[in-house]
Amino acid sequence: MSLLLDENSKVVIQGFGSAGQREAIICRDYGTSVVAGVTPGKGGQEIEGFPIRNTVQEAVDEFNANVSLIFVPAPFAADAILEAVGAQIPVIICITENIPVLDMMRVKRVLTTSDSILIGPNCPGVINVGAHARAGIMPVDVYTEGNVGVISRSGTLVYEAVDQLTKVGVGQSGSIGVGGDPIIGTNQAQALALLEDDPNTAAVVLIGEIGGTAEQEAAEFIKTMSKPVVAFIAGATAPPGRRMGHAGAIIAGAAGTAEAKQSALREAGAHVVENPGDIGSTMLNVLKNQGLA
Amino acid sequence: MKLHEYQAKELLAEYGVPVPAGSIATTPEEAAEAAAGIGGAVVVKAQAHTGARGKAGGVKVANSAEEAGTIAQEILGMNLVTNQTGPSGLPVNSVLIEEAIEIDRELYLSVAIDGSAAMPVIIASQEGGMDIEEVAAQRPEAILREYIDPAAGFQGFQARALAFGLGLTGDLNRPATSLIESLAKAFMESDGSIAEINPVVVTKDGRLLAADAKFSIDDSAMFRQKSLDEKRDRTQEAEKELEAQDAGIQNYIKLDGNIGCLVNGAGLAMSTLDAIKMAGGDAANFLDIGTANSPEAVVSALRIIGTDPDVEAVLVNIFGGLARTDIIAQGVIDAKNQGLIPQPTVIRLAGSNVNEGNELLDKSGLELVRADGFAQAAQAAVDAIS
């Protein structure tokens, strides 16, 4: 389960509205076992061939659900994550964006007392290509099976990187979208550790963004990795613009800039790409040089 | 969402933070009246969403009620340009009239979210009134930190540690501890994203006061902060950005260039700006359309881009996931047909329903520059202008 999902993954979808239903069908068509949807008050119904239950616990008891994919609207999303934690779901993936920061801080506090892993929120989810296991919203057509894993804060940049890799003939083991919010369940360093341990992954694309210090923490982990990493930082040319006062800047200091992140990653031995269009071709070269392609 | 200084002080005062005597005025008459009510010398402070107001002429001392009226006359209606506002500045529609205080010491106090720790952190320093970033960079030992546990809450011992660390001992210790606890409570209960009191002042007559205050609220939490939402001052926000928000587009930022961008996803949108820059151009805006689930949403976004006088070419860069490229394509076609984007338009579609999306574009018969990869798309947009 280094890539969080495998052939034995049984996905329950929390928030079975239009987006939840549409993605449930795409997951099922891809070959993923989606065992139930959870919508309180609709338990016992069947929608698009999926059994609906009132609680996550029922989906666990009845269908052995071991992955939760959350589409619940932002005001109620923290509650949904905590419900999955309470039902001891090992892998919880939250797609919802705009969850209040205070709610996520409380969720993080509860997660420290739990064995559950949270991916997201505000993320595209996770896919294991070889296992045909998809718990997310990514377009499946752009993926081809191979040995490169992709980690990204941004959803659309996962698709972009995967598309570039596929177009230069480099397949993927899978991707983990860690999420674009300031407070997320699993950071880039932790996601790198998962791929370092994954036997089907030989190299990693890491896509970061300006702001915060997560890329520097990832760089520290890269120093310990055996697998090559190609990295890109989005927002290098973004104007400083919306400064959020001084207090926020003290925490990260100058660490939030693209230059600081790029140089930390370079020093850690990552292959840093400056033009976002060069991610695929750079990875191809790295793999060739290492005799992996 | 940002609050004005006077609103931040009202909020903090509700929680027990001591603030100088003062009231808000929107006319010179009101200002003179407020100054007479306070008595003695007062400070007239421009209310605008920016720091460094003093240097820009937005903060002045008046020695009489009459002078307060005269100064208010000068400041009201000003367009305040500071190093934080950009060249267009911000309008001043109200002034805060406050008792002039005699300062003994100035301290720094703020609360912010530390994303890595996933907790709010209270930051304090004896070096108030200074550029705190510079203090943090040059003398990190002069900065004190205490985290607010989101489950257990902020504890009394932490407030005491900060108060003693700020040198607030003796008679000042209890009021200081109380002020810090009040700030923490206001932050947590208001879904704060940044709260800053710079400076906290010890007056010559031995009082502790929040002499200035900034407070921002988490935009994602506005649904449960209705009373704060009512304090929002739209005159402090860029016109184009308000237009975008009214059209339901939350993620629009006006920029200085001439290529209008419509992109899905914040990361791809930022990278599109990077790619435009690398191709030798400059973007006119950042726009993340998110999961546009109707062509109408796309048309609204393109109307905002197309009517921006700075825009000379439009770049649509979509990698569909939850967003469907066929819906986006239909929106672009509708906007073109309605004449909303007369500028040369480059479009790159990939991801969900891309075949359906491209087929719609093929059949439309419209003159659109099509690009495969997004670096090529950025280049094509730059070329369309030159």
Side-chain angles (χ1 to χ4, degrees), chain A residues 212-230:
Chain A
T213 57
E215 288 74 14
Q216 280 83 348
E217 289 154 28
E220 282 307 306
F221 184 77
I222 289 172
K223 289 178 184 167
T224 70
M225 284 178 71
S226 64
K227 300 172 183 178
V229 176
V230 170

Side-chain angles (χ1 to χ4, degrees), chain A residues 101 109 160 237 242-243, chain B residues 133 149 218 241 274 348:
Chain A
V101 175
R109 203 72 181 84
E160 185 65 51
T237 62
R242 314 235 145 150
R243 59 179 299 143
Chain B
E133 281 178 60
D149 186 309
D218 180 2
E241 293 175 13
D274 295 343
R348 180 273 181 132

Side-chain angles (χ1 to χ4, degrees), chain A residues 46-254:
Chain A
E46 196 180 284
I47 299 174
E48 297 285 354
F50 300 100
I52 306 302
R53 293 296 175 265
N54 286 322
T55 67
V56 174
Q57 191 63 54
E58 287 175 65
V60 171
D61 293 343
E62 211 176 322
F63 305 107
N64 298 315
N66 55 17
V67 174
S68 172
L69 179 60
I70 299 175
F71 290 93
V72 172
F76 318 107
D79 178 61
I81 297 171
L82 292 177
E83 182 180 1
V85 172
Q88 295 182 29
I89 297 266
V91 175
I92 303 164
I93 296 165
C94 185
I95 305 302
T96 310
E97 59 185 328
N98 297 325
I99 301 178
V101 175
L102 183 57
D103 290 5
M104 277 312 300
M105 293 192 290
R106 293 193 173 124
V107 166
K108 280 287 274 188
R109 203 72 181 84
V110 175
L111 281 170
T112 59
T113 63
S114 150
D115 291 328
S116 297
I117 294 175
L118 172 67
I119 301 291
N122 189 11
C123 80
V126 178
I127 188 168
N128 179 330
V129 180
H132 278 263
R134 172 192 191 260
I137 56 171
M138 62 289 281
V140 293
D141 297 350
V142 295
Y143 288 83
T144 48
E145 194 175 343
N147 59 9
V148 172
V150 178
I151 295 169
S152 173
R153 261 162 90 167
S154 145
T156 38
L157 284 177
V158 173
Y159 321 154
E160 185 65 51
V162 167
D163 188 49
Q164 288 182 26
L165 290 168
T166 293
K167 282 183 176 152
V168 297
V170 174
Q172 305 89 37
S173 52
S175 64
I176 301 173
V178 295
D181 283 358
I183 295 175
I184 52 178
T186 299
N187 65 25
Q188 295 168 41
Q190 291 164 327
L192 283 169
L194 292 170
L195 293 188
E196 173 73 0
D197 285 345
D198 178 36
N200 298 320
T201 299
V204 180
V205 172
L206 175 71
I207 301 170
E209 281 173 16
I210 51 170
T213 57
E215 288 74 14
Q216 280 83 348
E217 289 154 28
E220 282 307 306
F221 184 77
I222 289 172
K223 289 178 184 167
T224 70
M225 284 178 71
S226 64
K227 300 172 183 178
V229 176
V230 170
F232 169 70
I233 304 293
T237 62
R242 314 235 145 150
R243 59 179 299 143
M244 287 299 292
H246 293 145
I250 293 175
I251 295 159

